[in-house]
Amino acid sequence: MESSYNFSSIEKKWQDYWEEKQFFKVDEDPSKQKYYTLEMFPYPSGNLHMGHVRNYAIGDVIARFKTMNGLNVLHPMGWDSFGLPAENAAIKHGHHPTKWTNENIENMKSQLKTLGLSYDWDREVATCKPDYYKFTQWMFLKLYENDLAYKKEAAVNWCPSCQTVLANEQVVEGACERCDTVVEKKKLNQWFFKITDYAQRLLDDLSELPGWPDKVKIMQKNWIGRSEGCEFNLAIDGSDESMTVFTTRPDTVFGVTYMVLAPEHSLVDVISRGTPQEKDVQEFVHRMQFISDVSRTSAETEKEGVFTGAYAINPLNGEKIPIWIANYVLMDYGTGAIMAVPAHDQRDFDFARKYDIPIKVVIKSEDSPADASEMTEAYTGEGVMANSGDFDGLTVEEGIKTINQHMQDKGIGTKTINFRLRDWLISRQRYWGAPIPMIYCEDCGAVPVPYDQLPVLLPEGVEFKPSGESPLNYVENFYKTTCPKCGKEARRETDTMDTFVCSSWYFARYCSPHNSEMPFSKEDADYWMAVDQYIGGVEHAILHLMYARFFTKFLHDIKMLSVDEPFTNLLTQGMVLKDGSKMSKSKGNVVSPEEIIGKYGADTARLFILFAAPPERDLEWNDQGVEGCYRFLNRVWRLVTSCIEDLQEVTLPKTFAELDPDAKKLRFKTHATIKKVTEDLNGRFNFNTAISATMELTNAMNAYREVEEQDLCVLKEAVDTLLILLNPFAPHITEELWKICGNDESLYKLPWPTYDEAALVQDKVEIVLQISGKVRDRMVVPTNTTRENLEKMALENDKIKELTSGKQIIKVIVVPGKLVNIVAK
RNA sequence: GCGGAUGUGGCGGAAUUGGCAGACGCACCAGACUUAGGAUCUGGCGUUGCGAGACGUGGAGGUUCGAGUCCUCUCAUCCGCACCA
């Protein structure tokens, strides 16, 4: 392969050089402006895939570009290394998760290194290491201290066949994703973080994140799901009990024709006791227990329910209203009970039609029949209140306000805000996670582990069996302990934390990765935080990003962080596809990064993945496209090496004298390219067009090499510029060529070039001549030709004259530097 | 159902402020060099037409001297949420 450059030796050489010289190690430097760029750290699954390569290539270009722009750049990498796959591998092969994980980390790290990424490996973190999870436990204790961690009984998804708890994502259409058994609900005592306390702030502060994609902000907003409404009480007929409901439509209270309790509601038992319906109710409640939340709350599930035999009293008109229980009312939203207005709520409408419950229209509108029997669907639009006593005639908006106020005045109800965001269940009955640092004492109850006893270490000798319980339950020397308060024998918590807890604060750990006393020092975090540019897949748009925001706000509140949002700018990259679908082993469409790097080198791999599509869009893998990028780098190699001899004695002048047209053209291209690449990399991250621009420059240089009399200064400037601009994308080949050209300093240490305005001024410009918006001819004129002269020249143009002869010229539009448009009839 | 995104040659994509649609790359075609080419170089390459030209950014309207870009409606694909009272 005489004609291609030897990427494998070049890449290895430069990677070793950078490492030896510690190029990417950074320290806090108050004299320099900082820039923190971060790619979402990976789970150490064993091998890098193309999605990783894309993610890290993007981050690396940004980091290198910002460094060359004089910023003090923090660009760290680590491992999100707790989690199920390690434990499943342990169950299957008998290896300890530590071994499996460490081997995977080593392997992936060496793969990462072949990509030539500018990481400060000194700051590497791994969430499964005691020096890290010590502080995950610290976070738990702080949350506990601030009443943001609590334990309660909660229904979880339970697979009776696998004997284990399943995450919602592991439940597919109501069945276990592994064995297809119908998933049940089981009540377990679990730890929660009270993220709901932060719901309003998490919502409000989205507006302070202009650097986030709207898509992500909207997803978070919907997930938080704030809704304003009214909570009010209804007496239960013939009983001392009352029920509370939440509604966003108090204006429709006169249209209530039945009430619904969630099957799990505590009142169900009380009010149905002794009624003829008691047996039906119990049967229904029992049946619902075995249907998972996931399938019960699916919109496709048909609504069903039973009458409880009891009645509630409508506080506004004293009507007796039957109380039902139904599958479509959820215990964990609002109060677990609703007022049903079939005329103005589609769900209630469906249910009422099915069970022949009356429908009463209370909002009149021309868009909907006034007679309920003629309705085919609920009417939820604008209108005025009717059949509502004194409130008739009010609009929906007025009605909501007025009835709210009325209820408040009469002590029936109050204005309330509900969120659909739930508290975060963090307990996992698993081994491979950070142990929850709590101890249960018979006398003192739940006692937090004192800070000086952290970390609570995972024990080594553990048997891994799929039992549905934490394996830690079987390790006596782990769970047997003494109460930190009274010294009496006590039992440790054996659940571990959700791995999302570990990843909710890692970005702050990178600021002080070696601190053994604290998760990070405030001083370091004040310098580095917030992350200026965060990059990762959109699949983390809700959970990870929400949890990280929650933790940051909490750390801000306890004065550990000055910022209260972790990520100033967010780039959500698209997936890497092959043959139209996501690369996966089962589809057999995986392209391995190792193979590509082996065949073409890291520079080609990086270049292709950045060139093939803009970063936020999905990228279709194309082997021939990779080859195109490889050819381009070879072209650069040949071009630059062919210039070396000519340029040996050339030094760049301070200013360029009068140039001949060809030289001027090349110099124009050089500076236009600087401008283009700089603008594309500054905030917009259009890597694909930046790379196109360097290709155009290369083409222009090749063309210039054919010119008889070449201006070597202009050529040298072009060569230097090309190498610098291309460096963030393809760092190895450019460093090598730079060195071969006789330069000692590394490109990475050079300042980013600025363009010369003067070089961008052209003497002549092509003007398009249009007739009624259609291009008819072009003319080349001096750049500074005046508006009047342009018009005059256009009208004198032969082609225009010919085409407008016999027509009346209505007006002429002149856009200097661009076009002249003649409107003729 | 609700919310969001996307739609441009054979393909990936460009057009940043309403101003030459198709930059750059791939594929393809022709030529050069060559014992050879899956190397390299040169040229061509939206559709249609001999041609001047006409048509062309999912579709239908509209605004404008001028629309891929703005407005209205509509279709398709993808993603997220999905009985949230």
Side-chain angles (χ1 to χ4, degrees), chain A residues 786-813:
Chain A
T786 61
R787 204 172 262 276
E788 292 70 27
N789 281 338
L790 277 173
E791 178 168 345
K792 204 170 137 217
M793 289 164 83
L795 292 169
E796 279 166 5
N797 175 284
D798 289 343
K799 188 94 177 264
I800 297 297
K801 266 190 186 159
E802 184 194 325
L803 288 166
T804 52
S805 73
K807 287 182 180 169
Q808 188 197 350
I809 291 170
I810 297 165
K811 69 177 173 184
V812 179
I813 289 132

Side-chain angles (χ1 to χ4, degrees), chain A residues 230 254 315-317 390-391 399-414:
Chain A
C230 172
F254 286 86
L316 294 195
N317 59 11
D390 297 343
F391 301 97
I400 289 173
K401 262 196 196 152
T402 312
I403 300 223
N404 253 333
Q405 194 57 51
H406 180 78
M407 293 226 196
Q408 196 129 355
D409 295 345
K410 299 266 163 178
I412 304 166
T414 51

Side-chain angles (χ1 to χ4, degrees), chain A residues 571-800:
Chain A
L571 175 67
T572 51
Q573 65 175 80
M575 284 187 296
V576 182
L577 310 176
K578 179 81 197 290
D579 308 322
S581 55
K582 192 178 177 176
M583 289 186 183
S584 73
K585 276 187 201 147
S586 59
K587 287 207 186 79
N589 60 349
V590 177
V591 180
S592 102
E594 257 184 322
E595 201 180 297
I596 296 296
I597 294 167
K599 199 166 166 193
Y600 302 101
D603 284 338
T604 297
R606 294 167 55 124
L607 200 67
F608 169 73
I609 216 156
L610 294 165
F611 176 62
E616 57 284 338
R617 216 181 294 183
D618 284 349
L619 180 154
E620 174 70 27
W621 188 264
N622 177 347
D623 289 327
Q624 285 164 328
V626 178
E627 236 157 299
C629 288
Y630 182 58
R631 281 204 293 267
F632 167 63
L633 289 181
N634 275 299
R635 245 178 354 255
V636 170
W637 181 267
R638 283 194 302 274
L639 168 67
V640 175
T641 50
S642 78
C643 293
I644 290 172
E645 206 178 320
D646 292 348
L647 298 180
Q648 240 161 15
E649 305 299 322
V650 179
T651 45
L652 283 185
K654 280 221 165 58
T655 51
F656 283 78
E658 202 57 26
L659 299 170
D660 67 80
D662 282 323
K664 199 166 161 65
K665 207 169 125 195
L666 179 61
R667 188 143 196 273
F668 173 82
K669 193 72 186 171
T670 301
H671 287 268
T673 308
I674 296 173
K675 185 167 194 266
K676 172 77 180 152
V677 173
T678 307
E679 285 173 359
D680 277 350
L681 292 185
N682 247 330
R684 223 174 13 232
F685 303 137
N686 288 350
F687 308 112
N688 54 334
T689 50
I691 294 168
S692 298
T694 64
M695 288 173 170
E696 285 185 58
L697 177 59
T698 308
N699 292 344
M701 288 162 72
N702 270 322
Y704 190 66
R705 290 295 275 163
E706 301 297 315
V707 171
E708 267 323 289
E709 293 272 314
Q710 295 170 26
D711 184 319
L712 294 178
C713 289
V714 171
L715 182 65
K716 182 172 168 56
E717 188 191 34
V719 169
D720 289 358
T721 302
L722 177 66
L723 293 179
I724 299 174
L725 296 183
L726 211 45
N727 179 257
F729 304 96
H732 312 86
I733 185 176
T734 47
E735 287 274 27
E736 180 70 13
L737 286 169
W738 187 247
K739 172 109 192 189
I740 298 177
C741 286
N743 301 291
D744 292 327
E745 185 85 89
S746 160
L747 280 172
Y748 182 76
K749 300 283 184 188
L750 288 185
W752 191 255
T754 49
Y755 59 89
D756 178 0
E757 285 286 357
L760 293 178
V761 176
Q762 284 177 300
D763 312 332
K764 287 181 177 162
V765 65
E766 192 183 70
I767 298 290
V768 171
L769 301 180
Q770 297 182 332
I771 295 177
S772 300
K774 303 227 179 223
V775 181
R776 294 303 174 190
D777 204 1
R778 295 143 208 278
M779 57 184 190
V780 176
V781 302
T783 305
N784 52 8
T785 310
T786 61
R787 204 172 262 276
E788 292 70 27
N789 281 338
L790 277 173
E791 178 168 345
K792 204 170 137 217
M793 289 164 83
L795 292 169
E796 279 166 5
N797 175 284
D798 289 343
K799 188 94 177 264
I800 297 297

